[in-house]
Amino acid sequence: MAGNAGGAVGRSAISLGLLKGATVDRERAMREAIHSGEMEGAWVSEEFRADAEAYIVGEIAIGELVERTKKRWAIHREAGSRDEGAF
């Protein structure tokens, strides 16, 4: 019985390691996207940064991040915002 419990713990540790790796990849991708936008002159909103953080920690999926970003862009366009380069 103890051997089985150890096996389960081992699998959990592996899963946690994979999740941690995914979080690091997501964080790197978001840092690079924000940096790239800023280098091109875009202003990165606090709303986008909050959504990016939610994506990094796994609270939302990439599809949700994209939809929220598109919605923000649509709102800026409809309002005639001068911040056309905002995320």
Side-chain angles (χ1 to χ4, degrees), residues 47-60:
E47 292 90 354
F48 179 82
R49 291 176 191 273
D51 288 346
E53 182 62 30
Y55 168 69
I56 290 167
V57 299
E59 292 174 2
I60 63 172

Side-chain angles (χ1 to χ4, degrees), residues 6-83:
V9 170
R11 283 191 295 277
S12 293
I14 291 170
S15 296
L16 289 174
L18 292 174
L19 290 175
K20 183 178 179 183
T23 300
V24 170
D25 291 343
R26 288 176 174 204
E27 182 177 9
R28 183 180 313 130
M30 287 297 97
R31 268 198 328 260
E32 289 175 2
I34 289 170
H35 178 71
S36 177
E38 290 173 338
M39 292 298 291
E40 293 293 326
W43 173 73
V44 182
S45 69
E46 289 303 313
E47 292 90 354
F48 179 82
R49 291 176 191 273
D51 288 346
E53 182 62 30
Y55 168 69
I56 290 167
V57 299
E59 292 174 2
I60 63 172
I62 190 68
E64 178 68 17
L65 176 64
V66 170
E67 287 304 313
R68 290 179 182 189
T69 303
K70 285 181 180 180
K71 185 182 283 188
R72 252 191 307 282
W73 272 84
I75 290 169
H76 283 290
R77 263 192 238 127
E78 289 172 6
S81 173
R82 291 183 181 199
D83 288 332

